Amino acid sequence: ADAMAEQEAAAAAAALEDQPPSVSWGGPRPTCADWLACPQANMYYKLLVGWTNETVKRSNGLGHETFDFARVQPWDSQLVDDPSPCVLFASPGMLHTGLSLQVFKRWAGGERNMVILPGYCVSGTVGGQLIAGQRKGLQVDKHTVMDARCAVHYLSFSAHADAKGILQLVQQCAPRNVALVHGERAKMLVLQQKITRALGLACYMPANGTTLKVPSHAPWPLRVSQRLVQGAVAEAHALLAPPPGQGAGPAAQG
């Protein structure tokens, strides 16, 4: 699972943990997650909880650890055919490969099931087809075409930092230059202007596949051992010396 998918799973699970007490996620089949890097990701979320929004900060201040999921367990592939209720957080969110697509193939035919798509899906992916309203003749892979009888729900969710968070990150890092390499072009242009105006930094937005050359005028001190310098000088003298048997030049005529 990629980092963004892990963030989506963690954020969605956090939302479930914050549900009112009347909503129970216990029982014989707890909520499951495509685990992989989740424990490591949650460790960093806990370390950087100060970067979260005010709601999360207040929750942690009241003694509730937002990124401790007592009712979430690693996914067990044997559960895919278990008829008991189960909630699975799996990646990737676009349903184009990986565990999410594998489970979708098994569960999409059930009318009592639901798939929730947490964000943007590229056109042509299974997620993109579902968001576009297609339910019959889904091309889920090169060899499989199927109908989706399950319910489909789209959740507008993004694991990306907002402009305020990015500006805060740039300000804390204090770089000399900033390059924006991912996002919607129109929104990137707005962010580029904010970085330039608010922080006074050179901000670049190179197109995919292009080379970005950033001028640097700051001195870069370099420490080199004396032995290395002497060796380089000796090598340069050897390269400049004339071949054996030849003098430095024609003899002077008297």
Side-chain angles (χ1 to χ4, degrees):
D2 55 28
M4 187 182 303
E6 299 302 342
Q7 291 178 354
E8 292 175 354
L16 292 179
E17 289 287 318
D18 289 333
Q19 293 292 330
S22 59
V23 179
S24 174
W25 293 97
R29 288 291 175 263
T31 305
C32 300
D34 179 12
W35 210 244
L36 294 181
C38 277
Q40 293 87 345
N42 286 341
M43 177 184 69
Y44 287 106
Y45 295 151
K46 293 177 183 179
L47 290 174
L48 302 175
V49 68
W51 287 35
T52 57
N53 60 35
E54 295 303 320
T55 302
V56 176
K57 292 177 183 177
R58 286 195 299 269
S59 178
N60 279 270
L62 296 175
H64 174 72
E65 294 291 340
T66 305
F67 297 104
D68 282 339
F69 308 117
R71 296 185 291 274
V72 179
Q73 69 178 28
W75 169 250
D76 185 346
S77 60
Q78 296 181 356
L79 295 176
V80 71
D81 294 319
D82 193 314
S84 302
C86 178
V87 177
L88 170 64
F89 293 90
S91 60
M94 297 188 190
L95 297 175
H96 60 283
T97 186
L99 177 64
S100 61
L101 181 59
Q102 296 174 17
V103 176
F104 177 80
K105 292 179 183 179
R106 306 289 288 272
W107 289 357
E111 295 181 355
R112 299 179 62 186
N113 296 331
M114 172 184 287
V115 57
I116 300 177
L117 302 167
Y120 173 75
C121 292
V122 173
S123 177
T125 62
V126 177
Q129 296 177 62
L130 292 173
I131 292 177
Q134 185 174 347
R135 300 291 183 269
K136 295 184 178 181
L138 289 172
Q139 186 76 45
V140 295
D141 59 37
K142 294 181 180 180
H143 311 288
T144 308
V145 177
M146 62 179 296
D147 296 340
R149 297 184 177 87
C150 63
V152 178
H153 181 71
Y154 174 74
L155 176 66
S156 181
F157 173 79
S158 174
H160 293 284
D162 56 12
K164 179 181 178 181
I166 295 176
L167 287 172
Q168 180 184 6
L169 176 62
V170 173
Q171 189 172 18
Q172 290 183 355
C173 292
R176 295 187 179 93
N177 301 275
V178 178
L180 306 178
V181 297
H182 177 70
E184 298 179 23
R185 180 173 177 80
K187 295 182 179 179
M188 290 174 69
L189 286 171
V190 174
L191 180 59
Q192 182 185 39
Q193 295 176 359
K194 288 185 177 180
I195 292 175
T196 302
R197 295 174 182 174
L199 304 179
L201 297 174
C203 186
Y204 304 90
M205 203 174 73
N208 292 340
T210 60
T211 301
L212 174 62
K213 294 183 179 180
V214 180
S216 176
H217 306 289
W220 291 89
L222 181 65
R223 295 184 179 181
V224 182
S225 67
Q226 185 177 3
R227 182 178 178 182
L228 178 61
V229 174
Q230 292 174 344
V233 171
E235 184 178 353
H237 286 168
L239 291 174
L240 296 175
Q246 296 186 8
Q253 300 294 326

